[in-house]
Short mmCIF file of all heavy atoms in Angstrom, two decimals:
data_model
loop_
_atom_site.label_atom_id
_atom_site.label_comp_id
_atom_site.label_asym_id
_atom_site.label_seq_id
_atom_site.Cartn_x
_atom_site.Cartn_y
_atom_site.Cartn_z
N MET A 27 -55.13 25.41 95.64
CA MET A 27 -53.97 24.72 95.06
C MET A 27 -52.70 25.03 95.83
O MET A 27 -51.88 24.18 96.11
CB MET A 27 -53.81 25.09 93.58
CG MET A 27 -52.64 24.40 92.88
SD MET A 27 -52.83 22.60 92.78
CE MET A 27 -54.13 22.47 91.56
N SER A 28 -52.52 26.32 96.19
CA SER A 28 -51.32 26.70 96.92
C SER A 28 -51.28 26.04 98.29
O SER A 28 -50.21 25.68 98.78
CB SER A 28 -51.26 28.23 97.08
OG SER A 28 -52.39 28.70 97.79
N GLU A 29 -52.47 25.84 98.90
CA GLU A 29 -52.52 25.17 100.20
C GLU A 29 -52.06 23.73 100.07
O GLU A 29 -51.30 23.22 100.91
CB GLU A 29 -53.95 25.21 100.74
CG GLU A 29 -54.09 24.58 102.12
CD GLU A 29 -55.51 24.62 102.63
OE1 GLU A 29 -56.35 25.33 102.04
OE2 GLU A 29 -55.80 23.94 103.64
N PHE A 30 -52.51 23.07 98.97
CA PHE A 30 -52.08 21.69 98.72
C PHE A 30 -50.57 21.62 98.48
O PHE A 30 -49.88 20.75 99.01
CB PHE A 30 -52.82 21.13 97.49
CG PHE A 30 -52.34 19.78 97.05
CD1 PHE A 30 -52.73 18.63 97.70
CD2 PHE A 30 -51.46 19.67 95.97
CE1 PHE A 30 -52.27 17.38 97.29
CE2 PHE A 30 -51.00 18.43 95.56
CZ PHE A 30 -51.41 17.28 96.22
N THR A 31 -50.05 22.56 97.68
CA THR A 31 -48.61 22.59 97.38
C THR A 31 -47.80 22.81 98.65
O THR A 31 -46.77 22.15 98.86
CB THR A 31 -48.31 23.71 96.36
OG1 THR A 31 -49.09 23.49 95.19
CG2 THR A 31 -46.84 23.72 96.00
N ASN A 32 -48.25 23.73 99.49
CA ASN A 32 -47.54 24.00 100.75
C ASN A 32 -47.55 22.78 101.67
O ASN A 32 -46.56 22.48 102.33
CB ASN A 32 -48.16 25.20 101.46
CG ASN A 32 -47.90 26.50 100.72
OD1 ASN A 32 -46.92 26.60 99.97
ND2 ASN A 32 -48.77 27.48 100.91
N LYS A 33 -48.70 22.10 101.69
CA LYS A 33 -48.80 20.91 102.54
C LYS A 33 -47.83 19.83 102.08
O LYS A 33 -47.14 19.21 102.90
CB LYS A 33 -50.24 20.38 102.52
CG LYS A 33 -50.44 19.16 103.42
CD LYS A 33 -51.90 18.70 103.39
CE LYS A 33 -52.06 17.46 104.27
NZ LYS A 33 -53.48 16.96 104.24
N LYS A 34 -47.78 19.63 100.74
CA LYS A 34 -46.86 18.63 100.22
C LYS A 34 -45.41 19.02 100.52
O LYS A 34 -44.60 18.18 100.93
CB LYS A 34 -47.05 18.45 98.71
CG LYS A 34 -46.05 17.45 98.12
CD LYS A 34 -46.12 17.34 96.61
CE LYS A 34 -45.04 16.40 96.10
NZ LYS A 34 -45.03 16.26 94.63
N GLN A 35 -45.07 20.29 100.32
CA GLN A 35 -43.71 20.74 100.55
C GLN A 35 -43.32 20.57 102.01
O GLN A 35 -42.20 20.15 102.33
CB GLN A 35 -43.55 22.20 100.13
CG GLN A 35 -42.09 22.68 100.15
CD GLN A 35 -41.21 21.86 99.23
OE1 GLN A 35 -41.50 21.72 98.04
NE2 GLN A 35 -40.13 21.31 99.77
N ASN A 36 -44.26 20.84 102.91
CA ASN A 36 -43.98 20.66 104.34
C ASN A 36 -43.73 19.19 104.67
O ASN A 36 -42.84 18.87 105.45
CB ASN A 36 -45.15 21.20 105.17
CG ASN A 36 -45.24 22.71 105.13
OD1 ASN A 36 -44.25 23.40 104.86
ND2 ASN A 36 -46.43 23.25 105.38
N ARG A 37 -44.51 18.32 104.06
CA ARG A 37 -44.32 16.88 104.30
C ARG A 37 -43.00 16.40 103.71
O ARG A 37 -42.28 15.61 104.32
CB ARG A 37 -45.49 16.08 103.74
CG ARG A 37 -46.73 16.08 104.64
CD ARG A 37 -47.78 15.09 104.14
NE ARG A 37 -47.25 13.76 103.92
CZ ARG A 37 -47.05 12.86 104.89
NH1 ARG A 37 -47.31 13.16 106.15
NH2 ARG A 37 -46.57 11.66 104.57
N VAL A 38 -42.67 16.88 102.49
CA VAL A 38 -41.40 16.48 101.87
C VAL A 38 -40.22 16.97 102.72
O VAL A 38 -39.23 16.25 102.90
CB VAL A 38 -41.30 17.01 100.43
CG1 VAL A 38 -39.89 16.84 99.88
CG2 VAL A 38 -42.31 16.30 99.52
N ASN A 39 -40.32 18.20 103.23
CA ASN A 39 -39.26 18.71 104.11
C ASN A 39 -39.11 17.84 105.35
O ASN A 39 -37.98 17.55 105.78
CB ASN A 39 -39.58 20.15 104.53
CG ASN A 39 -39.48 21.14 103.37
OD1 ASN A 39 -38.85 20.84 102.35
ND2 ASN A 39 -40.09 22.29 103.52
N ALA A 40 -40.24 17.42 105.92
CA ALA A 40 -40.20 16.55 107.10
C ALA A 40 -39.61 15.19 106.75
O ALA A 40 -38.81 14.63 107.51
CB ALA A 40 -41.61 16.40 107.67
N LEU A 41 -39.98 14.65 105.58
CA LEU A 41 -39.44 13.36 105.14
C LEU A 41 -37.93 13.47 104.88
O LEU A 41 -37.17 12.54 105.16
CB LEU A 41 -40.17 12.89 103.88
CG LEU A 41 -41.60 12.39 104.09
CD1 LEU A 41 -42.33 12.25 102.76
CD2 LEU A 41 -41.61 11.06 104.84
N ALA A 42 -37.50 14.61 104.32
CA ALA A 42 -36.07 14.81 104.06
C ALA A 42 -35.29 14.86 105.37
O ALA A 42 -34.20 14.28 105.47
CB ALA A 42 -35.86 16.10 103.26
N ARG A 43 -35.85 15.55 106.38
CA ARG A 43 -35.18 15.58 107.69
C ARG A 43 -35.09 14.17 108.27
O ARG A 43 -34.05 13.78 108.82
CB ARG A 43 -35.94 16.50 108.64
CG ARG A 43 -35.78 17.99 108.34
CD ARG A 43 -36.28 18.85 109.50
NE ARG A 43 -37.70 18.68 109.73
CZ ARG A 43 -38.64 19.40 109.12
NH1 ARG A 43 -38.31 20.34 108.25
NH2 ARG A 43 -39.92 19.19 109.39
N LEU A 64 -45.85 10.24 110.21
CA LEU A 64 -45.28 10.73 108.94
C LEU A 64 -45.09 9.59 107.95
O LEU A 64 -45.45 9.69 106.78
CB LEU A 64 -43.95 11.43 109.21
CG LEU A 64 -43.19 11.97 108.00
CD1 LEU A 64 -43.91 13.17 107.41
CD2 LEU A 64 -41.76 12.35 108.39
N SER A 71 -46.12 10.43 95.19
CA SER A 71 -45.61 11.73 94.75
C SER A 71 -44.60 12.31 95.74
O SER A 71 -43.63 12.97 95.34
CB SER A 71 -46.76 12.72 94.55
OG SER A 71 -47.43 12.98 95.77
N GLU A 72 -44.80 12.05 97.03
CA GLU A 72 -43.87 12.54 98.05
C GLU A 72 -42.54 11.81 97.96
O GLU A 72 -41.47 12.42 98.15
CB GLU A 72 -44.48 12.37 99.44
CG GLU A 72 -45.71 13.23 99.68
CD GLU A 72 -46.45 12.89 100.96
OE1 GLU A 72 -46.15 11.83 101.55
OE2 GLU A 72 -47.32 13.66 101.37
N THR A 75 -40.51 13.22 95.01
CA THR A 75 -39.88 14.51 95.32
C THR A 75 -38.79 14.34 96.37
O THR A 75 -37.73 14.98 96.28
CB THR A 75 -40.94 15.51 95.82
OG1 THR A 75 -41.99 15.60 94.86
CG2 THR A 75 -40.33 16.89 96.00
N LEU A 76 -39.01 13.50 97.36
CA LEU A 76 -37.99 13.24 98.39
C LEU A 76 -36.72 12.70 97.75
O LEU A 76 -35.61 13.18 98.06
CB LEU A 76 -38.52 12.23 99.42
CG LEU A 76 -37.48 11.67 100.40
CD1 LEU A 76 -36.93 12.77 101.29
CD2 LEU A 76 -38.08 10.54 101.23
N ASP A 78 -35.77 13.00 94.68
CA ASP A 78 -35.20 14.07 93.86
C ASP A 78 -34.28 14.95 94.71
O ASP A 78 -33.17 15.29 94.30
CB ASP A 78 -36.32 14.91 93.23
CG ASP A 78 -35.80 16.03 92.35
OD1 ASP A 78 -35.41 15.75 91.21
OD2 ASP A 78 -35.79 17.19 92.81
N VAL A 79 -34.75 15.29 95.91
CA VAL A 79 -33.96 16.09 96.84
C VAL A 79 -32.67 15.35 97.23
O VAL A 79 -31.57 15.92 97.19
CB VAL A 79 -34.78 16.42 98.10
CG1 VAL A 79 -33.90 17.05 99.18
CG2 VAL A 79 -35.94 17.35 97.76
N THR A 188 -40.52 18.29 87.10
CA THR A 188 -39.36 19.07 87.55
C THR A 188 -38.53 18.25 88.54
O THR A 188 -37.33 18.47 88.67
CB THR A 188 -39.81 20.37 88.24
OG1 THR A 188 -40.70 20.06 89.32
CG2 THR A 188 -40.54 21.27 87.25
N ASP A 189 -39.16 17.32 89.23
CA ASP A 189 -38.46 16.50 90.24
C ASP A 189 -38.16 15.10 89.67
O ASP A 189 -38.58 14.08 90.23
CB ASP A 189 -39.29 16.39 91.52
CG ASP A 189 -40.74 16.00 91.27
OD1 ASP A 189 -41.13 15.84 90.09
OD2 ASP A 189 -41.48 15.84 92.25
#
Side-chain angles (χ1 to χ4, degrees):
M27 181 64 72
S28 60
E29 182 181 348
F30 173 79
T31 303
N32 290 336
K33 182 178 178 181
K34 178 185 176 181
Q35 189 59 55
N36 290 337
R37 280 189 52 80
V38 169
N39 291 341
L41 287 167
R43 287 194 297 272
L64 178 70
S71 63
E72 294 170 348
T75 306
L76 169 65
D78 181 78
V79 170
T188 56
D189 49 358

